[in-house]
Amino acid sequence: MAIPRAAKTLRRTRIQEEKEEQILEAALDVFSARGFRGSTIDQIAEVAGMSKPNLLYYFRTKEAMHRALIDRVLYTWLEPLRAFDAEGNPEEEIRSYIRRKLEMARDFPRESRLFANEVLQGAPHIEDELKGPLKQLVDEKAEVIRAWAKSGKIVECDPYHLIFSIWSTTQHYADFDVQVRAVLGQEHSGEGRFEDAARFLEQLFIGGLRPELG
Amino acid sequence: MAIPRAAKTLRRTRIQEEKEEQILEAALDVFSARGFRGSTIDQIAEVAGMSKPNLLYYFRTKEAMHRALIDRVLYTWLEPLRAFDAEGNPEEEIRSYIRRKLEMARDFPRESRLFANEVLQGAPHIEDELKGPLKQLVDEKAEVIRAWAKSGKIVECDPYHLIFSIWSTTQHYADFDVQVRAVLGQEHSGEGRFEDAARFLEQLFIGGLRPELG
DNA sequence: CGGATATTTGACCGATTGGTAAACATTACA
DNA sequence: TGTAATGTTTACCAATCGGTCAAATATCCG
């Protein structure tokens, strides 16, 4: 008698890896565009090019699909913040953090929207990750920033809200892409908007907006 | 024979106004928390304390409900940007724009999330509003900012991305509230976080983050 | 009052939802 | 090659979806 669910087997076959990959790729497409509740298994199945029961052979439920996707993407998503280096030059660290986050908004907008959808709707599936690993990581990096300020390397400021502001400004270009493009108009909606954004954000976070005194 | 839909009558009765108000209030609750596709008429009906067919007596479809809600909220939502005054003191105008947007994130988070959900999922119902009235308004205010820069009152910067960064940083506290609270921890999740945010954002946008020389 | 109009509801509809059962097809491997 | 395990599909299920209908009820106004 066959073991009913592939997920329960210990060894993963080549087919399992390929199909699960295929499914998660499709799930990212759908979940990021419509949110968890707004997505249907049929839609994911269609994008993945497989039948619905076939999806459910690899992931027992819609929730399991979503969870596997979140788990897979979360680690990568936090990579830029993890790379934030206490030993580095503060200005350069902040600059490159912004640059990397903006690159991710440009190159991985679906991942950004996946989390945005989830958090926006109360984070029912990732509350633990937010309060646990995420908070720990941010606490750690906030302490780094605070130390920089203490030693006068950067100006004194609230490190948590600094991080929030970098998150929000950069991810805005992924999460609110349609709005950004609508406002910029067709002529400025090429990929050049990311370079403009990078220039502006560097000016904002590094250079400051106040006009230099005479 | 009764005119089948209240919406078709010319004169609106007291009951119509009250009930429509009641329904839109409930719809704001549900749509902002779950997005259009994730929401059901039954949920709205339950929150509104009425039966489902009764909702559909006032709004023929789920879409009509959503549209009426959007129409009602959009004008108010853009009020702070509209108040942006070309004749005012630039620094003070930007400062008070940020303050007002942050107050709206604090006092009207549902409205913020309503639009966030919509835009995040591709703005299928408000594309026209984005490309029309919103773009026009932003174009107009961007011109004001550009003029300020030209005359040396503020530093030269991209006005569109400046506006985007103010939107994103302030609305972040409404749209990503659960994440903000999770990261700040229970002890910093009181309403005081908005004052901290206000202080930080003023520092960022007005004061600049670079340490003052000598 | 009384009748016209406006409002409300329970029962119901077809379509779609997440998920299952079991027959069928394919693969891996001794 | 044979067979057991893995993979796939068709047909189906109960629950829920957006929405309709007719009958019942409440309100307005002469």
Side-chain angles (χ1 to χ4, degrees), chain B residues 13 16 19 51 53-54 57-58:
Chain B
T13 68
Q16 273 177 39
K19 289 300 167 95
S51 68
N54 204 2
Y57 173 74
Y58 291 100

Side-chain angles (χ1 to χ4, degrees), chain A residues 115-124 176, chain B residues 32-34 109 112-118 120-121 174-178:
Chain A
F115 290 120
N117 262 305
E118 192 56 22
V119 174
L120 186 54
Q121 303 195 4
F176 294 77
Chain B
S32 69
R34 312 170 78 108
S112 185
R113 288 190 203 114
L114 179 74
F115 290 119
N117 262 305
E118 194 56 22
L120 186 54
Q121 304 195 4
D175 303 342
F176 294 76
D177 182 57
V178 264

Side-chain angles (χ1 to χ4, degrees), chain A residues 44-96:
Chain A
I44 299 173
E46 194 189 332
V47 174
M50 326 170 43
S51 67
K52 178 167 68 169
N54 204 1
L55 288 214
L56 291 163
Y57 173 75
Y58 291 100
F59 298 94
R60 297 143 91 115
T61 65
K62 186 180 163 188
E63 285 220 324
M65 241 174 271
H66 192 251
R67 165 136 300 278
L69 183 59
I70 294 260
D71 285 350
R72 192 167 96 141
V73 168
L74 189 58
Y75 186 87
T76 317
W77 194 246
L78 291 178
E79 194 52 41
L81 184 55
R82 223 177 280 113
F84 209 92
D85 181 13
E87 311 301 323
N89 173 279
E91 204 171 291
E92 193 46 49
E93 285 301 315
I94 293 175
R95 189 198 315 273
S96 79

Side-chain angles (χ1 to χ4, degrees), chain B residues 124-195:
Chain B
H125 304 101
I126 59 170
E127 214 193 345
D128 294 343
E129 280 85 349
L130 297 185
K131 291 184 176 173
L134 178 65
K135 175 169 165 49
Q136 272 185 345
L137 182 59
V138 174
D139 281 342
E140 178 192 327
K141 300 305 181 181
E143 208 39 62
V144 170
I145 294 172
R146 212 188 301 269
W148 284 343
K150 273 260 163 61
S151 62
K153 291 177 184 167
I154 61 169
V155 72
E156 201 95 32
C157 74
D158 188 313
Y160 289 93
H161 292 279
L162 173 59
I163 291 173
F164 292 154
S165 68
I166 294 176
W167 286 352
S168 60
T169 49
T170 54
Q171 291 174 6
H172 187 80
Y173 292 96
D175 303 342
F176 294 76
D177 182 57
V178 264
Q179 191 181 67
V180 167
R181 294 164 79 139
V183 167
L184 288 181
Q186 211 166 356
E187 63 274 23
H188 294 97
S189 284
E191 290 302 288
R193 70 185 182 283
F194 285 98
E195 292 163 30

